[in-house]
Short mmCIF file of all heavy atoms in Angstrom, two decimals:
data_model
loop_
_atom_site.label_atom_id
_atom_site.label_comp_id
_atom_site.label_asym_id
_atom_site.label_seq_id
_atom_site.Cartn_x
_atom_site.Cartn_y
_atom_site.Cartn_z
N GLY A 435 -25.44 8.56 56.87
CA GLY A 435 -25.37 8.10 58.23
C GLY A 435 -26.34 8.89 59.20
O GLY A 435 -26.42 8.58 60.33
N PHE A 436 -27.08 9.93 58.66
CA PHE A 436 -27.92 10.61 59.55
C PHE A 436 -29.16 9.91 59.80
O PHE A 436 -29.63 9.15 58.87
CB PHE A 436 -28.29 12.03 58.94
CG PHE A 436 -27.00 12.95 59.01
CD1 PHE A 436 -26.22 13.09 57.86
CD2 PHE A 436 -26.78 13.72 60.07
CE1 PHE A 436 -25.04 13.94 57.89
CE2 PHE A 436 -25.67 14.56 60.20
CZ PHE A 436 -24.80 14.68 59.07
N ARG A 437 -29.80 10.04 60.90
CA ARG A 437 -31.12 9.40 61.16
C ARG A 437 -32.07 10.46 61.76
O ARG A 437 -31.77 11.65 61.84
CB ARG A 437 -30.87 8.31 62.25
CG ARG A 437 -30.04 7.11 61.66
CD ARG A 437 -30.79 6.50 60.44
NE ARG A 437 -30.08 5.31 60.00
CZ ARG A 437 -29.16 5.41 58.95
NH1 ARG A 437 -28.96 6.57 58.30
NH2 ARG A 437 -28.53 4.27 58.53
N ASN A 438 -33.26 10.04 62.18
CA ASN A 438 -34.27 10.98 62.62
C ASN A 438 -34.57 12.03 61.48
O ASN A 438 -34.60 13.31 61.73
CB ASN A 438 -33.90 11.73 63.88
CG ASN A 438 -34.10 10.79 65.06
OD1 ASN A 438 -34.87 9.96 65.07
ND2 ASN A 438 -33.09 10.99 66.06
N LEU A 439 -34.73 11.54 60.24
CA LEU A 439 -35.02 12.47 59.17
C LEU A 439 -36.48 12.47 58.81
O LEU A 439 -37.15 11.45 58.70
CB LEU A 439 -34.19 11.82 57.85
CG LEU A 439 -32.68 11.90 58.02
CD1 LEU A 439 -32.06 10.92 57.04
CD2 LEU A 439 -32.13 13.33 57.76
N PHE A 440 -36.95 13.70 58.57
CA PHE A 440 -38.33 13.87 58.28
C PHE A 440 -38.48 14.76 57.13
O PHE A 440 -37.74 15.74 56.91
CB PHE A 440 -39.09 14.49 59.47
CG PHE A 440 -38.90 13.72 60.73
CD1 PHE A 440 -37.88 14.04 61.71
CD2 PHE A 440 -39.66 12.63 61.09
CE1 PHE A 440 -37.66 13.36 62.84
CE2 PHE A 440 -39.46 11.96 62.24
CZ PHE A 440 -38.44 12.26 63.11
N CYS A 441 -39.48 14.48 56.29
CA CYS A 441 -39.79 15.40 55.14
C CYS A 441 -41.19 16.12 55.27
O CYS A 441 -42.09 15.47 55.73
CB CYS A 441 -39.91 14.60 53.84
SG CYS A 441 -38.34 13.82 53.25
N PHE A 442 -41.09 17.39 55.05
CA PHE A 442 -42.27 18.15 55.12
C PHE A 442 -42.79 18.39 53.62
O PHE A 442 -42.27 19.30 52.95
CB PHE A 442 -42.03 19.46 55.79
CG PHE A 442 -43.16 20.45 55.79
CD1 PHE A 442 -44.54 20.03 55.76
CD2 PHE A 442 -42.99 21.83 55.77
CE1 PHE A 442 -45.56 20.90 55.70
CE2 PHE A 442 -43.95 22.75 55.67
CZ PHE A 442 -45.31 22.34 55.68
N ARG A 443 -43.67 17.52 53.20
CA ARG A 443 -44.10 17.53 51.72
C ARG A 443 -44.74 18.82 51.37
O ARG A 443 -44.59 19.20 50.20
CB ARG A 443 -45.07 16.33 51.51
CG ARG A 443 -44.28 15.12 50.97
CD ARG A 443 -44.85 14.78 49.63
NE ARG A 443 -43.99 13.78 49.06
CZ ARG A 443 -44.21 12.46 49.00
NH1 ARG A 443 -45.28 11.99 49.59
NH2 ARG A 443 -43.27 11.62 48.53
N GLY A 444 -45.50 19.37 52.25
CA GLY A 444 -46.25 20.55 51.88
C GLY A 444 -45.24 21.79 51.53
O GLY A 444 -45.64 22.64 50.80
N GLY A 445 -44.14 21.74 52.22
CA GLY A 445 -43.09 22.67 51.85
C GLY A 445 -43.46 24.09 52.19
O GLY A 445 -44.37 24.41 52.93
N LEU A 446 -42.61 25.01 51.56
CA LEU A 446 -42.81 26.43 51.82
C LEU A 446 -44.23 26.92 51.36
O LEU A 446 -44.80 27.78 52.03
CB LEU A 446 -41.74 27.26 51.07
CG LEU A 446 -41.69 28.67 51.44
CD1 LEU A 446 -41.29 28.85 52.79
CD2 LEU A 446 -40.73 29.43 50.42
N GLU A 447 -44.72 26.36 50.28
CA GLU A 447 -46.07 26.72 49.81
C GLU A 447 -47.15 26.59 50.90
O GLU A 447 -47.90 27.48 51.26
CB GLU A 447 -46.55 25.87 48.57
CG GLU A 447 -45.87 26.37 47.35
CD GLU A 447 -46.20 25.48 46.12
OE1 GLU A 447 -46.86 24.38 46.35
OE2 GLU A 447 -45.64 25.76 45.11
N GLU A 448 -47.19 25.39 51.53
CA GLU A 448 -48.13 25.10 52.61
C GLU A 448 -47.91 26.03 53.77
O GLU A 448 -48.89 26.54 54.47
CB GLU A 448 -48.19 23.66 53.04
CG GLU A 448 -49.34 23.28 53.92
CD GLU A 448 -49.38 21.84 54.34
OE1 GLU A 448 -48.68 21.05 53.71
OE2 GLU A 448 -50.13 21.54 55.24
N TRP A 449 -46.66 26.21 54.11
CA TRP A 449 -46.29 27.03 55.25
C TRP A 449 -46.80 28.51 55.04
O TRP A 449 -47.40 29.03 55.97
CB TRP A 449 -44.72 27.03 55.46
CG TRP A 449 -44.15 27.78 56.52
CD1 TRP A 449 -43.93 29.16 56.65
CD2 TRP A 449 -43.89 27.27 57.85
NE1 TRP A 449 -43.44 29.55 57.82
CE2 TRP A 449 -43.37 28.43 58.53
CE3 TRP A 449 -44.02 26.16 58.45
CZ2 TRP A 449 -42.98 28.31 59.98
CZ3 TRP A 449 -43.61 25.91 59.84
CH2 TRP A 449 -43.11 27.03 60.52
N GLU A 450 -46.52 29.03 53.86
CA GLU A 450 -46.98 30.37 53.61
C GLU A 450 -48.42 30.50 53.44
O GLU A 450 -49.01 31.46 53.98
CB GLU A 450 -46.31 30.84 52.22
CG GLU A 450 -44.95 31.37 52.28
CD GLU A 450 -44.44 31.94 50.94
OE1 GLU A 450 -44.59 31.26 50.02
OE2 GLU A 450 -44.07 33.14 51.03
N ASN A 451 -49.12 29.50 52.84
CA ASN A 451 -50.52 29.50 52.70
C ASN A 451 -51.28 29.45 54.05
O ASN A 451 -52.37 29.85 54.12
CB ASN A 451 -50.97 28.40 51.78
CG ASN A 451 -50.57 28.62 50.38
OD1 ASN A 451 -50.25 29.73 50.00
ND2 ASN A 451 -50.50 27.51 49.59
N SER A 452 -50.53 28.91 55.00
CA SER A 452 -51.15 28.87 56.43
C SER A 452 -50.93 30.15 57.19
O SER A 452 -51.21 30.27 58.37
CB SER A 452 -50.50 27.71 57.17
OG SER A 452 -50.74 26.51 56.45
N GLY A 453 -50.33 31.16 56.57
CA GLY A 453 -50.14 32.50 57.20
C GLY A 453 -48.99 32.47 58.15
O GLY A 453 -48.89 33.40 59.03
N LEU A 454 -48.10 31.48 58.04
CA LEU A 454 -46.99 31.49 58.88
C LEU A 454 -45.82 32.40 58.42
O LEU A 454 -45.67 32.60 57.29
CB LEU A 454 -46.46 30.04 59.11
CG LEU A 454 -47.49 29.15 59.83
CD1 LEU A 454 -47.15 27.69 59.68
CD2 LEU A 454 -47.61 29.51 61.31
N PRO A 455 -44.95 32.93 59.38
CA PRO A 455 -43.93 33.83 58.94
C PRO A 455 -42.92 33.21 58.00
O PRO A 455 -42.60 32.06 58.17
CB PRO A 455 -43.34 34.30 60.23
CG PRO A 455 -43.71 33.23 61.21
CD PRO A 455 -44.89 32.59 60.80
N VAL A 456 -42.40 34.08 57.14
CA VAL A 456 -41.26 33.65 56.31
C VAL A 456 -40.12 34.62 56.44
O VAL A 456 -40.34 35.82 56.54
CB VAL A 456 -41.73 33.68 54.75
CG1 VAL A 456 -40.62 33.47 53.82
CG2 VAL A 456 -42.76 32.54 54.59
N GLU A 457 -38.93 34.10 56.37
CA GLU A 457 -37.71 34.89 56.58
C GLU A 457 -37.03 35.12 55.21
O GLU A 457 -37.08 34.09 54.43
CB GLU A 457 -36.70 34.13 57.54
CG GLU A 457 -35.68 34.84 58.17
CD GLU A 457 -34.92 33.93 59.13
OE1 GLU A 457 -34.19 33.05 58.68
OE2 GLU A 457 -35.00 34.17 60.35
N THR A 458 -36.43 36.25 54.95
CA THR A 458 -35.69 36.40 53.69
C THR A 458 -34.20 36.54 54.05
O THR A 458 -33.86 36.76 55.21
CB THR A 458 -36.21 37.58 52.98
OG1 THR A 458 -36.11 38.73 53.77
CG2 THR A 458 -37.64 37.43 52.39
N GLY A 459 -33.40 36.50 52.96
CA GLY A 459 -31.95 36.65 53.19
C GLY A 459 -31.20 35.46 52.95
O GLY A 459 -31.80 34.31 52.89
N SER A 460 -29.90 35.58 52.78
CA SER A 460 -29.12 34.37 52.40
C SER A 460 -28.68 33.58 53.53
O SER A 460 -28.34 32.36 53.35
CB SER A 460 -27.88 34.75 51.65
OG SER A 460 -27.16 35.69 52.43
#
Side-chain angles (χ1 to χ4, degrees):
Chain A
F436 290 95
R437 294 297 181 265
N438 286 327
L439 293 159
F440 305 96
C441 292
F442 173 33
R443 264 240 168 98
L446 188 66
E447 280 174 1
E448 190 180 346
W449 182 274
E450 276 189 306
N451 291 341
S452 305
L454 293 167
V456 170
E457 196 176 69
T458 56
S460 58

